[in-house]
Amino acid sequence: MKKYLFLIIFIISVVEAKEYAVVVQKGFANISVGKIKAIYLKKLKYHGDTKLVPINLGSQNSVRRSFEKKVLKIKHSRLKSYWIKQHYLGQRPPITLKSEAAVNAFVKKVFGAIGYLEAAKADKDLKIIYKWSD
């Protein structure tokens, strides 16, 4: 009986796992996950001659929480402390938008913008440079 219960829980967790994506404009070069992290911590501000514009979702958004955990590999509380320290050094955190639709629209309009969202919601005109799942 315990075997079946475990199997059912496993199947449900696999079925409910969502896939997420980091997106840029189609003409933009591929970027490694290490560079994505550096961009979001504002340690990397240019890629070639292109000024990078990282876009965040709101701090309580589940996609953002997954991004922080799986891509940045930083707990939310630690990231918050990081940005408090950076504020006193004159650095601002990435721009925050309210929705994944807004991320799609912003990244489509601004070359150098980089955002993340559910992979299924990524606009077909954007390029997915990194994927992860819960």
Side-chain angles (χ1 to χ4, degrees):
M1 185 68 172
K2 288 183 181 181
K3 282 184 180 179
Y4 295 117
L5 181 61
F6 176 75
L7 183 60
I8 291 169
I9 291 170
F10 177 75
I11 290 171
I12 290 171
S13 67
V14 170
V15 170
E16 290 185 11
K18 289 187 179 181
E19 189 171 55
Y20 305 100
V22 176
V23 294
V24 294
Q25 284 187 4
K26 284 203 174 183
F28 203 80
N30 285 335
I31 300 173
S32 70
V33 70
K35 285 188 178 181
I36 292 169
K37 182 176 179 176
I39 291 166
Y40 272 87
L41 295 176
K42 297 257 186 128
K43 293 180 178 182
L44 181 63
K45 297 180 182 180
Y46 286 88
H47 188 67
D49 292 338
T50 304
K51 182 172 173 64
L52 299 167
V53 184
I55 305 299
N56 262 334
L57 290 168
S59 64
Q60 299 304 313
N61 186 291
S62 62
V63 179
R64 177 171 171 174
R65 293 295 178 126
S66 180
F67 177 77
E68 290 172 354
K69 180 180 177 185
K70 300 283 187 160
V71 180
L72 299 183
K73 298 186 186 317
I74 298 174
K75 289 183 180 181
H76 183 73
S77 58
R78 187 166 169 236
L79 189 59
K80 193 174 178 180
S81 295
Y82 172 83
W83 284 113
I84 289 170
K85 290 176 188 173
Q86 292 302 306
H87 170 77
Y88 290 106
L89 297 172
Q91 292 289 331
R92 292 180 169 256
I95 296 168
T96 301
L97 298 178
K98 291 184 179 188
S99 69
E100 292 170 271
V103 171
N104 267 323
F106 191 94
V107 173
K108 280 173 56 173
K109 288 186 178 185
V110 178
F111 192 73
I114 179 170
Y116 54 85
L117 39 77
E118 284 185 38
K121 294 181 181 178
D123 192 287
K124 65 180 189 258
D125 294 330
L126 297 177
K127 178 180 179 179
I128 295 175
I129 59 170
Y130 184 74
K131 283 186 177 181
W132 78 96
S133 60
D134 281 338

PDB file of all heavy atoms in Angstrom, residues 26-45:
ATOM      1  N   LYS A  26      15.438  37.749 -30.129  1.00  0.00           N
ATOM      2  CA  LYS A  26      16.009  36.705 -30.983  1.00  0.00           C
ATOM      3  C   LYS A  26      17.412  37.008 -31.480  1.00  0.00           C
ATOM      4  O   LYS A  26      18.213  36.102 -31.642  1.00  0.00           O
ATOM      5  CB  LYS A  26      15.080  36.410 -32.156  1.00  0.00           C
ATOM      6  CG  LYS A  26      13.900  35.585 -31.725  1.00  0.00           C
ATOM      7  CD  LYS A  26      13.297  34.837 -32.861  1.00  0.00           C
ATOM      8  CE  LYS A  26      12.212  33.941 -32.285  1.00  0.00           C
ATOM      9  NZ  LYS A  26      11.587  33.110 -33.239  1.00  0.00           N
ATOM     10  N   GLY A  27      17.770  38.249 -31.723  1.00  0.00           N
ATOM     11  CA  GLY A  27      19.090  38.576 -32.235  1.00  0.00           C
ATOM     12  C   GLY A  27      20.192  38.559 -31.190  1.00  0.00           C
ATOM     13  O   GLY A  27      21.361  38.753 -31.502  1.00  0.00           O
ATOM     14  N   PHE A  28      19.829  38.325 -29.960  1.00  0.00           N
ATOM     15  CA  PHE A  28      20.785  38.373 -28.850  1.00  0.00           C
ATOM     16  C   PHE A  28      21.554  37.059 -28.749  1.00  0.00           C
ATOM     17  O   PHE A  28      21.016  35.990 -28.975  1.00  0.00           O
ATOM     18  CB  PHE A  28      20.032  38.645 -27.540  1.00  0.00           C
ATOM     19  CG  PHE A  28      20.881  39.231 -26.468  1.00  0.00           C
ATOM     20  CD1 PHE A  28      21.184  40.575 -26.466  1.00  0.00           C
ATOM     21  CD2 PHE A  28      21.391  38.439 -25.460  1.00  0.00           C
ATOM     22  CE1 PHE A  28      21.969  41.133 -25.477  1.00  0.00           C
ATOM     23  CE2 PHE A  28      22.179  38.975 -24.456  1.00  0.00           C
ATOM     24  CZ  PHE A  28      22.469  40.329 -24.474  1.00  0.00           C
ATOM     25  N   ALA A  29      22.821  37.147 -28.379  1.00  0.00           N
ATOM     26  CA  ALA A  29      23.676  35.955 -28.255  1.00  0.00           C
ATOM     27  C   ALA A  29      23.265  35.119 -27.042  1.00  0.00           C
ATOM     28  O   ALA A  29      22.679  35.635 -26.096  1.00  0.00           O
ATOM     29  CB  ALA A  29      25.133  36.377 -28.120  1.00  0.00           C
ATOM     30  N   ASN A  30      23.592  33.836 -27.076  1.00  0.00           N
ATOM     31  CA  ASN A  30      23.350  32.966 -25.926  1.00  0.00           C
ATOM     32  C   ASN A  30      24.230  33.382 -24.761  1.00  0.00           C
ATOM     33  O   ASN A  30      25.336  33.884 -24.958  1.00  0.00           O
ATOM     34  CB  ASN A  30      23.624  31.514 -26.289  1.00  0.00           C
ATOM     35  CG  ASN A  30      22.530  30.930 -27.147  1.00  0.00           C
ATOM     36  OD1 ASN A  30      21.392  31.378 -27.118  1.00  0.00           O
ATOM     37  ND2 ASN A  30      22.872  29.934 -27.926  1.00  0.00           N
ATOM     38  N   ILE A  31      23.736  33.159 -23.564  1.00  0.00           N
ATOM     39  CA  ILE A  31      24.447  33.521 -22.342  1.00  0.00           C
ATOM     40  C   ILE A  31      24.417  32.313 -21.412  1.00  0.00           C
ATOM     41  O   ILE A  31      23.384  31.658 -21.276  1.00  0.00           O
ATOM     42  CB  ILE A  31      23.769  34.730 -21.654  1.00  0.00           C
ATOM     43  CG1 ILE A  31      23.749  35.938 -22.571  1.00  0.00           C
ATOM     44  CG2 ILE A  31      24.458  35.064 -20.349  1.00  0.00           C
ATOM     45  CD1 ILE A  31      22.957  37.103 -22.027  1.00  0.00           C
ATOM     46  N   SER A  32      25.504  32.045 -20.742  1.00  0.00           N
ATOM     47  CA  SER A  32      25.558  30.932 -19.800  1.00  0.00           C
ATOM     48  C   SER A  32      24.755  31.258 -18.546  1.00  0.00           C
ATOM     49  O   SER A  32      24.487  32.427 -18.242  1.00  0.00           O
ATOM     50  CB  SER A  32      27.009  30.642 -19.412  1.00  0.00           C
ATOM     51  OG  SER A  32      27.515  31.694 -18.618  1.00  0.00           O
ATOM     52  N   VAL A  33      24.413  30.223 -17.786  1.00  0.00           N
ATOM     53  CA  VAL A  33      23.672  30.427 -16.540  1.00  0.00           C
ATOM     54  C   VAL A  33      24.499  31.245 -15.548  1.00  0.00           C
ATOM     55  O   VAL A  33      23.944  32.047 -14.786  1.00  0.00           O
ATOM     56  CB  VAL A  33      23.187  29.087 -15.942  1.00  0.00           C
ATOM     57  CG1 VAL A  33      24.330  28.265 -15.414  1.00  0.00           C
ATOM     58  CG2 VAL A  33      22.151  29.320 -14.856  1.00  0.00           C
ATOM     59  N   GLY A  34      25.814  31.088 -15.562  1.00  0.00           N
ATOM     60  CA  GLY A  34      26.679  31.892 -14.693  1.00  0.00           C
ATOM     61  C   GLY A  34      26.598  33.370 -15.029  1.00  0.00           C
ATOM     62  O   GLY A  34      26.584  34.225 -14.133  1.00  0.00           O
ATOM     63  N   LYS A  35      26.520  33.678 -16.316  1.00  0.00           N
ATOM     64  CA  LYS A  35      26.385  35.081 -16.729  1.00  0.00           C
ATOM     65  C   LYS A  35      25.000  35.623 -16.405  1.00  0.00           C
ATOM     66  O   LYS A  35      24.850  36.796 -16.072  1.00  0.00           O
ATOM     67  CB  LYS A  35      26.708  35.243 -18.211  1.00  0.00           C
ATOM     68  CG  LYS A  35      28.183  35.152 -18.488  1.00  0.00           C
ATOM     69  CD  LYS A  35      28.508  35.515 -19.921  1.00  0.00           C
ATOM     70  CE  LYS A  35      30.014  35.462 -20.142  1.00  0.00           C
ATOM     71  NZ  LYS A  35      30.390  35.818 -21.504  1.00  0.00           N
ATOM     72  N   ILE A  36      23.980  34.755 -16.501  1.00  0.00           N
ATOM     73  CA  ILE A  36      22.624  35.186 -16.134  1.00  0.00           C
ATOM     74  C   ILE A  36      22.621  35.612 -14.671  1.00  0.00           C
ATOM     75  O   ILE A  36      22.081  36.664 -14.313  1.00  0.00           O
ATOM     76  CB  ILE A  36      21.595  34.065 -16.394  1.00  0.00           C
ATOM     77  CG1 ILE A  36      21.445  33.818 -17.903  1.00  0.00           C
ATOM     78  CG2 ILE A  36      20.245  34.412 -15.760  1.00  0.00           C
ATOM     79  CD1 ILE A  36      20.660  32.574 -18.259  1.00  0.00           C
ATOM     80  N   LYS A  37      23.245  34.823 -13.823  1.00  0.00           N
ATOM     81  CA  LYS A  37      23.331  35.164 -12.399  1.00  0.00           C
ATOM     82  C   LYS A  37      24.067  36.486 -12.209  1.00  0.00           C
ATOM     83  O   LYS A  37      23.615  37.356 -11.471  1.00  0.00           O
ATOM     84  CB  LYS A  37      24.044  34.045 -11.638  1.00  0.00           C
ATOM     85  CG  LYS A  37      24.124  34.291 -10.153  1.00  0.00           C
ATOM     86  CD  LYS A  37      24.746  33.110  -9.409  1.00  0.00           C
ATOM     87  CE  LYS A  37      24.831  33.400  -7.926  1.00  0.00           C
ATOM     88  NZ  LYS A  37      25.332  32.271  -7.151  1.00  0.00           N
ATOM     89  N   ALA A  38      25.185  36.671 -12.911  1.00  0.00           N
ATOM     90  CA  ALA A  38      25.955  37.917 -12.809  1.00  0.00           C
ATOM     91  C   ALA A  38      25.139  39.115 -13.289  1.00  0.00           C
ATOM     92  O   ALA A  38      25.218  40.201 -12.704  1.00  0.00           O
ATOM     93  CB  ALA A  38      27.251  37.802 -13.609  1.00  0.00           C
ATOM     94  N   ILE A  39      24.324  38.928 -14.310  1.00  0.00           N
ATOM     95  CA  ILE A  39      23.476  40.009 -14.824  1.00  0.00           C
ATOM     96  C   ILE A  39      22.455  40.414 -13.766  1.00  0.00           C
ATOM     97  O   ILE A  39      22.248  41.595 -13.504  1.00  0.00           O
ATOM     98  CB  ILE A  39      22.774  39.581 -16.135  1.00  0.00           C
ATOM     99  CG1 ILE A  39      23.797  39.440 -17.257  1.00  0.00           C
ATOM    100  CG2 ILE A  39      21.667  40.568 -16.511  1.00  0.00           C
ATOM    101  CD1 ILE A  39      23.270  38.713 -18.485  1.00  0.00           C
ATOM    102  N   TYR A  40      21.824  39.428 -13.137  1.00  0.00           N
ATOM    103  CA  TYR A  40      20.788  39.724 -12.145  1.00  0.00           C
ATOM    104  C   TYR A  40      21.345  40.258 -10.831  1.00  0.00           C
ATOM    105  O   TYR A  40      20.625  40.880 -10.063  1.00  0.00           O
ATOM    106  CB  TYR A  40      19.877  38.508 -11.919  1.00  0.00           C
ATOM    107  CG  TYR A  40      18.746  38.519 -12.913  1.00  0.00           C
ATOM    108  CD1 TYR A  40      18.888  37.943 -14.162  1.00  0.00           C
ATOM    109  CD2 TYR A  40      17.556  39.166 -12.626  1.00  0.00           C
ATOM    110  CE1 TYR A  40      17.868  37.987 -15.092  1.00  0.00           C
ATOM    111  CE2 TYR A  40      16.529  39.222 -13.544  1.00  0.00           C
ATOM    112  CZ  TYR A  40      16.680  38.632 -14.777  1.00  0.00           C
ATOM    113  OH  TYR A  40      15.669  38.709 -15.693  1.00  0.00           O
ATOM    114  N   LEU A  41      22.626  40.039 -10.584  1.00  0.00           N
ATOM    115  CA  LEU A  41      23.265  40.640  -9.412  1.00  0.00           C
ATOM    116  C   LEU A  41      23.959  41.949  -9.786  1.00  0.00           C
ATOM    117  O   LEU A  41      24.624  42.563  -8.969  1.00  0.00           O
ATOM    118  CB  LEU A  41      24.268  39.653  -8.804  1.00  0.00           C
ATOM    119  CG  LEU A  41      23.651  38.381  -8.236  1.00  0.00           C
ATOM    120  CD1 LEU A  41      24.744  37.444  -7.741  1.00  0.00           C
ATOM    121  CD2 LEU A  41      22.659  38.692  -7.134  1.00  0.00           C
ATOM    122  N   LYS A  42      23.780  42.356 -11.039  1.00  0.00           N
ATOM    123  CA  LYS A  42      24.343  43.576 -11.605  1.00  0.00           C
ATOM    124  C   LYS A  42      25.871  43.606 -11.536  1.00  0.00           C
ATOM    125  O   LYS A  42      26.481  44.661 -11.399  1.00  0.00           O
ATOM    126  CB  LYS A  42      23.741  44.819 -10.953  1.00  0.00           C
ATOM    127  CG  LYS A  42      22.255  44.965 -11.168  1.00  0.00           C
ATOM    128  CD  LYS A  42      21.985  46.002 -12.230  1.00  0.00           C
ATOM    129  CE  LYS A  42      20.522  46.312 -12.394  1.00  0.00           C
ATOM    130  NZ  LYS A  42      20.216  47.690 -12.333  1.00  0.00           N
ATOM    131  N   LYS A  43      26.479  42.431 -11.638  1.00  0.00           N
ATOM    132  CA  LYS A  43      27.934  42.333 -11.712  1.00  0.00           C
ATOM    133  C   LYS A  43      28.385  42.361 -13.163  1.00  0.00           C
ATOM    134  O   LYS A  43      29.537  42.658 -13.445  1.00  0.00           O
ATOM    135  CB  LYS A  43      28.413  41.053 -11.023  1.00  0.00           C
ATOM    136  CG  LYS A  43      28.182  41.080  -9.526  1.00  0.00           C
ATOM    137  CD  LYS A  43      28.653  39.821  -8.858  1.00  0.00           C
ATOM    138  CE  LYS A  43      28.435  39.917  -7.356  1.00  0.00           C
ATOM    139  NZ  LYS A  43      28.921  38.731  -6.653  1.00  0.00           N
ATOM    140  N   LEU A  44      27.476  42.057 -14.068  1.00  0.00           N
ATOM    141  CA  LEU A  44      27.728  42.116 -15.505  1.00  0.00           C
ATOM    142  C   LEU A  44      26.688  43.058 -16.090  1.00  0.00           C
ATOM    143  O   LEU A  44      25.493  42.782 -16.046  1.00  0.00           O
ATOM    144  CB  LEU A  44      27.613  40.718 -16.133  1.00  0.00           C
ATOM    145  CG  LEU A  44      27.868  40.605 -17.631  1.00  0.00           C
ATOM    146  CD1 LEU A  44      29.308  41.012 -17.963  1.00  0.00           C
ATOM    147  CD2 LEU A  44      27.602  39.184 -18.103  1.00  0.00           C
ATOM    148  N   LYS A  45      27.151  44.200 -16.619  1.00  0.00           N
ATOM    149  CA  LYS A  45      26.223  45.224 -17.092  1.00  0.00           C
ATOM    150  C   LYS A  45      26.163  45.353 -18.605  1.00  0.00           C
ATOM    151  O   LYS A  45      25.234  45.935 -19.145  1.00  0.00           O
ATOM    152  CB  LYS A  45      26.587  46.572 -16.472  1.00  0.00           C
ATOM    153  CG  LYS A  45      26.442  46.554 -14.959  1.00  0.00           C
ATOM    154  CD  LYS A  45      26.810  47.874 -14.360  1.00  0.00           C
ATOM    155  CE  LYS A  45      26.704  47.791 -12.845  1.00  0.00           C
ATOM    156  NZ  LYS A  45      27.035  49.014 -12.181  1.00  0.00           N
TER     157      LYS A  45
END
